Amino acid sequence: MTTSSTTGPTSPRTDGKYARLLSPMTIRGNVLRNRMITTGHSIMAPWHPAGDETTYVDYCRRRAKGGAALLIAQPVNVEPFHDWPWPVVDRLKRLADAVHEEGALVTPQVVNFGRQIGSHVLLDERAEWSFNGGQDEFGEAAHRMTSAEVQLMVDAFGRLAEVFREAGLDGLELHGAHGYLLQQSYSPWGNGRDDEWGEQLAFSTAVLQAVRSGLGEDKILGWRMTADDQLREEENGLTAEELMDVARRLVDTGHIDFMNLSIGTKAPAYSQPAVASFRYPKGYDLELAKGLRDAIDARVPVVGVGGIVDPDMAEQALADEMCDLIGMTRGFISDPDMGVKILRGDEDRIRTCVRVAECNSRRVDGKVVQCWHNPEFGREARFAAVPAPARRKSVLVVGAGVAGLQAAEVAVKRGHDVRIVEASDHPGGRLRNILGTRAAELFGTVDHLVNELRHEGVRVEYGHRLTAAEIRALDFDEVVVATGAEHDLAAHGLDRPGIVSVDDAIVGELPEGVKVLVVDRTGHNPAGVAVEKLALEGHEVVYVTPFDRMVTNGGYNHRLDYQDLFRRSPLITAMTFKDLRSFENGKAMLVDPDGIESHLLGIDVVVAAVHPVPRDGLVHELDALGVTVHTCGDVIAPRGVTTATREATLLAQTF
Ligand SMILES: Cc1cc2nc3c(=O)[nH]c(=O)nc-3n(C[C@H](O)[C@H](O)[C@H](O)COP(=O)(O)O)c2cc1C
Ligand code: SF4
């Protein structure tokens, strides 16, 4: 392994904490200033001749500035047609320059999906090229490459490497996991040919040679290996031992400079365990990283990745020789300054990723990717350009839920004099409800904001309900009302005996043995969290929703987590296209979209998963008194934390 502990920028820390994490490493003469890296993550439109990666370059520059040593940038597709990717060489150069200016290295990921994902992501939407034809996981038929076409594909990998070299990138990572073309080539699941390309490592070896030749000897060539393909026996995948044997033989070629890993095969389903939610343990793939490192006798550095969100776990993993580099991908999504905070001893101020997987869920669901509590995500240049306030103002924030805390944090960091007042005796608003559930990690968002305010000298005033008249008399320059929302079943015509709100179901405890009907009319996570909690407590649960799928707005990762639970738990019955028409004496009358009724007997409690209503009385009272107020978060309309943090930030940037 080529490592060095004497080159590169060093930490201003003198306490020796995180000595391993902050130690540099040299790979083929390229100095990684520390061991923190981001692994490949697609967050914006893929590289395309007609694209514009300005926002993406800003995003990467920000992470480089924030202390990451190496960014494995989002994938560039390998296309065997035209002169791709020469049309994007200038943009790749801009990426390289931006990251280098901030002292980091950048090796984008390189992928051909083979018979996965769908032809809609390919240039000109040509057919998916594969080794054995068949179909992808969505049912699209794939093309079986001729022997000559396989060679064209190899050449395309080599051409891409030449373009990367020309662009001044530091190398690349070949995507040999997640079931894409390289994994297909070395797995009987994806290959099974009887020509020369049927030999297990024929394609990988040819690609490695072509890429090394295109890159030159001084650039970094990484490989992302699947450490567990998670295929069923009849799907003809490889065992863990066989995969490690492939890894060993790939390293034998001498072309690979680091080994990264991931798990799972079929996209996007692989991302449930590979970009896992808080339902999985932290550092969930570290044992696999250790296995890979052992299998290849630590001949090249191995990346440990998967739910490593804090520096203590990272340092321990290095100390235990489980890996040599640490992938902290969502860590840097959540807090781009994580590296510099660790470098300067401010690790207690990291906005730690709470593993809600909103980022991945939004990507898979085809929405603009956002982070649950980093509102700067994807707006890096815009945030950098926000002008400083003309003068220091007095700011009153009413409500210490996520929106209020966030508005207060941004305002105080902009130099304002901030007071924040909360009617209850604790922060967090409705997010507090999750504290007794498997989603408790999400409360880290609130803890972080309260901690930041404390560092800035602002203490939340609890147990103080300000009236509109008092607020007017206080005469603040800016007043922000972020009083959130609360359940009012009467507003939904559901204020009947035996019906409780989803919040009450999550927070409260039902007597043993009761049978519960959860009616999910919003499709949002509280319904899923309630079902999960009730079933884990041993209650029999029937879940119904008028939507076409369960917890439809919960986000991809959570839908899959719930589906697993709903499918596997003998206590849960789930039905879509069903709503509640009435509930009386244990009999729940359901109705489908055609108006056809069916009924359930023996229901003890109905949980109504409906939207809470904005707690906006104070807003109207202030309005009547002629006081100008700002609002953000659920008091406008209840939409959850991601919206609240973004809205509060954008608001507080205006004064
Ligand atoms: C939004 C998002 C997109 C991702 N896209 C990719 C990808 O294109 N290629 C890849 O190999 N992994 C991808 N990943 C997986 C990450 O590289 C990483 O393995 C995973 O997030 C677990 O590490 P973490 O817990 O440090 O985030 C993605 C992850 C996220 C959050
Ligand atoms: S969206 Fe959630 S999982 Fe993704 S980076 Fe932000 S906090 Fe972490």
Side-chain angles (χ1 to χ4, degrees), residues 50 123 218 570:
L123 290 184
D218 55 337

Side-chain angles (χ1 to χ4, degrees), residues 259-384:
M259 268 279 177
N260 188 3
L261 77 141
S262 192
I263 56 174
T265 291
K266 295 171 191 167
Y270 80 83
S271 64
Q272 183 198 13
V275 194
S277 73
F278 49 74
R279 293 184 179 86
Y280 290 68
K282 289 181 182 168
Y284 46 84
D285 281 345
L286 274 173
E287 285 298 335
L288 292 173
K290 172 142 180 50
L292 174 60
R293 194 172 186 273
D294 291 346
I296 60 169
D297 298 322
R299 281 179 288 157
V300 297
V302 167
V303 180
V305 65
I308 306 170
V309 292
D310 68 74
D312 291 333
M313 176 175 269
E315 182 70 10
Q316 195 58 49
L318 293 172
D320 294 343
E321 298 193 334
M322 302 186 100
C323 54
D324 309 283
L325 292 164
I326 301 285
M328 302 177 92
T329 306
R330 283 177 291 172
F332 273 96
I333 292 178
S334 177
D335 190 340
D337 287 324
M338 182 168 62
V340 292
K341 286 180 183 175
I342 296 169
L343 277 162
R344 63 176 186 235
D346 279 342
E347 57 272 12
D348 66 317
R349 300 191 67 173
I350 294 171
R351 189 200 295 119
T352 304
C353 165
V354 291
R355 302 190 302 140
V356 67
E358 174 91 358
C359 46
N360 186 61
S361 293
R362 291 183 68 99
R363 163 181 83 114
V364 177
D365 287 341
K367 298 178 177 172
V368 172
V369 176
Q370 308 233 328
C371 172
W372 145 279
H373 62 182
N374 173 13
E376 188 191 6
F377 180 94
R379 300 180 181 83
E380 284 74 16
R382 177 175 161 191
F383 271 44

